[in-house]
Amino acid sequence: MRKHSIFHVAIVLILFIPLLSKAQTGIFTDGPGYRRWSVGINGGMLAPVAVTGGNNDFTKWKASAGYGAYIKWQLLHALGFRADYVSGKLTGNNDRKLGNGSVPDREINSFDTRLKYAASLSAVVNVATINWLYRHNFVQAYLSAGGGITGYSPRITNKSGVTTDYKPGANNLKEFFIPVGAGLKFKLSPVVNIDLGYTMYYVDGDQLDGYNYGTNNDKYSYGYAGLEISLGSSNKFQLAWQNPAKVMYDDMVEQKARLKQELETVNANNVRLSADVDKLLRDTDGDGVSDYFDRCPNTAAGEKVDGSGCDLPKDTTPRQLITKITNNITEDDRRLVHEAIENLEFEFGKAAIKPTSFPSLNGVAKLLITKGFSLKLGGHTDNVGSAERNMIVSKNRAESVKQYLVTQGANPSRIEAVGYGADQPIADNKTDAGRQKNRRVEFTLY
């Protein structure tokens, strides 16, 4: 084999290597959502001439009928592999005059070559998809190149009119060739395409026309028209006609719809949360207790209320002027108050005192009654929520403690309830433990 033949074989191997490597991973299967396999048949004209490369060894060529078929596998939208078969006849003669006006005086006057087969494998590249901006493809332009083997038998006619075989035993000559082609494909339906193409065959030898004149190798071409039929499920689209612009557009529309739905969900949640917040903060009677927690929603303006929004009991005890406290505050007194602070708990998010806190508060009430002490209650919260809300909660909880002590007999005039909100933390509000410590009611005995 000649050196350039080896080069041609190398090209074919390079084309085969990616396909063979993919075969190891099972790529010869129908891809998700697309049809990859198709078959085609075509018919046209064969001629011993190429657009690039000129004529063969005779001055005049003739077009003869040819036919072909192929099977194609589409790897990507723009890349596929096609195995072609072409057969027919090639003819030519020396009837055309030379440039100086003379008729060629050659030993061989014409040839007639039977092209038994031309089998090739080519890579097919879609270089353009017409009307893609409108997302509806109906015309494709493509280029192809590859390598193959052709089998043929030439017959020659000398200038005396005698026709013989090219040479004894030349009925089954074989040559390597490189096919280079271009074409247009029209989409008739989701299954059928019209295929118009032109392929040039560069043969690695100079025996195709039965005559060796000059230094150029032989070449021929095939112009054809045919039908291509896509194989596979009718529910899937042809991968070769997949429109990247349409896919991107559809993805964008889908993402837009999804984002719109998410935004509508967020807006609905915001509306619901706003309604819940309004319900928690609304205070129709202006007593400092929101309607949501207010058990007495119609208290008179300016009346003092407890943590549940109800009027505090009126102090009907005759006023006594105490000029001197006869008993000093002892360590036992301080311990009793400290235990009350430690044991004081409220219902979650409310000013209602838990029953477990009652025994300790009963001790404080008894202390106030028996020793005549005064008590300042300071309500505090963590920094979660608005400052206004925290101030209300802290005041309500301090008032709840005062109300309970009064119900146990303590003098309300000697108990002061104040709310400080989140303004006086004793621990770090960044931690759960810190926030727990900051949610408190301080007792100051004096």
Side-chain angles (χ1 to χ4, degrees):
M1 183 178 289
R2 304 169 194 176
K3 292 182 178 179
H4 52 283
S5 298
I6 298 175
F7 173 73
H8 293 158
V9 172
I11 293 177
V12 174
L13 290 176
I14 291 173
L15 290 173
F16 268 107
I17 287 173
L19 191 60
L20 293 175
S21 62
K22 293 292 185 181
Q24 299 301 318
T25 59
I27 201 167
F28 286 103
T29 58
D30 196 12
Y34 297 105
R35 280 177 285 167
R36 296 176 181 260
W37 290 95
S38 59
V39 295
I41 56 173
N42 51 64
M45 304 302 292
L46 285 163
V49 64
V51 172
T52 59
N55 299 334
N56 284 329
D57 298 319
F58 291 78
T59 62
K60 184 178 180 179
W61 58 269
K62 294 182 180 181
S64 304
Y67 57 90
Y70 63 83
I71 183 169
K72 189 179 74 169
W73 177 73
Q74 199 71 26
L75 175 62
L76 304 170
H77 158 67
L79 176 64
F81 294 94
R82 190 167 115 171
D84 278 87
Y85 171 86
V86 176
S87 184
K89 185 172 68 171
L90 299 168
T91 62
N93 56 46
N94 287 319
D95 292 350
R96 180 174 294 170
K97 294 181 180 181
L98 299 175
N100 58 10
S102 63
V103 176
D105 184 16
R106 298 177 184 173
E107 180 182 354
I108 306 301
N109 183 59
S110 65
F111 76 96
D112 186 333
T113 297
R114 179 190 172 194
L115 189 65
K116 296 180 178 180
Y117 64 87
S120 61
L121 178 66
S122 300
V124 182
V125 179
N126 296 338
V127 295
T129 304
I130 312 303
N131 208 22
W132 68 276
L133 286 177
Y134 295 94
R135 311 195 318 275
H136 298 290
N137 302 342
F138 63 91
V139 182
Q140 280 182 355
Y142 64 86
L143 299 175
S144 64
I149 300 294
T150 181
Y152 58 93
S153 58
R155 290 178 62 82
I156 54 176
T157 302
N158 61 23
K159 58 184 179 180
S160 299
V162 178
T163 300
T164 60
D165 291 337
Y166 162 54
K167 58 183 178 180
N171 290 327
N172 193 23
L173 297 177
K174 296 177 183 175
E175 295 282 2
F176 176 84
F177 67 88
I178 293 179
V180 178
L184 291 175
K185 197 169 291 184
F186 299 84
K187 187 177 182 181
L188 286 184
S189 73
V191 177
V192 180
N193 308 316
I194 292 179
D195 188 13
L196 305 180
Y198 176 77
T199 304
M200 297 173 291
Y201 299 82
Y202 297 92
V203 182
D204 186 29
D206 198 12
Q207 303 182 94
L208 185 68
D209 55 12
Y211 188 65
N212 190 341
Y213 181 80
T215 58
N216 293 330
N217 290 339
D218 291 329
K219 75 282 297 179
Y220 64 96
S221 60
Y222 178 46
Y224 58 88
L227 295 178
E228 181 182 78
I229 300 175
S230 178
L231 305 178
S233 172
S234 59
N235 295 326
K236 298 181 179 181
F237 296 102
Q238 299 181 53
L239 179 58
W241 289 100
Q242 181 243 13
N243 190 325
K246 183 178 186 303
V247 172
M248 292 176 62
Y249 178 84
D250 291 343
D251 287 345
M252 182 182 67
V253 170
E254 182 180 350
Q255 291 178 13
K256 182 179 179 181
R258 185 168 61 252
L259 290 175
K260 182 179 179 181
Q261 180 63 39
E262 292 175 356
L263 182 60
E264 291 176 351
T265 302
V266 170
N267 290 337
N269 290 336
N270 288 340
V271 171
R272 180 175 54 79
L273 289 174
S274 297
D276 292 342
V277 170
D278 289 342
K279 184 169 63 175
L280 289 172
L281 297 181
R282 189 181 300 114
D283 183 11
T284 304
D285 55 9
D287 60 0
V289 179
S290 70
D291 292 351
Y292 186 79
F293 299 105
D294 199 340
R295 296 180 182 177
C296 303
N298 298 312
T299 54
E303 291 291 332
K304 293 184 177 181
V305 298
D306 59 16
S308 62
C310 297
D311 291 330
L312 290 171
K314 299 297 187 292
D315 182 12
T316 58
T317 305
R319 297 292 179 179
Q320 297 180 4
L321 179 61
I322 300 176
T323 58
K324 183 179 179 181
I325 298 176
T326 57
N327 296 313
N328 296 325
I329 300 174
T330 65
E331 287 300 323
D332 289 340
D333 298 337
R334 291 190 177 90
R335 183 171 60 254
L336 187 149
V337 171
H338 179 74
E339 289 177 356
I341 295 174
E342 292 293 321
N343 294 329
L344 181 59
E345 293 183 358
F346 296 90
E347 298 292 342
F348 179 74
K350 300 180 181 179
I353 303 171
K354 288 186 176 182
T356 55
S357 303
F358 292 163
S360 297
L361 291 177
N362 292 341
V364 174
K366 183 177 180 181
L367 180 65
L368 296 178
I369 295 170
T370 57
K371 292 192 175 185
F373 290 144
S374 296
L375 180 66
K376 181 177 181 180
L377 300 170
H380 301 268
T381 67
D382 56 28
N383 65 347
V384 177
S386 66
E388 180 182 2
R389 177 62 185 163
N390 287 335
M391 189 63 71
I392 294 173
V393 171
S394 64
K395 178 69 165 62
N396 290 343
R397 288 185 171 178
E399 289 286 359
S400 292
V401 175
K402 177 180 177 180
Q403 174 62 25
Y404 181 81
L405 295 175
V406 170
T407 61
Q408 300 302 311
N411 187 348
S413 64
R414 287 191 170 278
I415 303 175
E416 179 184 7
V418 181
Y420 296 100
D423 295 340
Q424 298 180 13
I426 60 173
D428 189 354
N429 274 312
K430 294 181 179 180
T431 65
D432 292 338
R435 287 192 293 271
Q436 176 66 32
K437 290 182 180 180
N438 290 333
R439 296 192 293 269
R440 68 197 189 279
V441 176
E442 295 181 344
F443 291 54
T444 303
L445 191 66
Y446 61 95

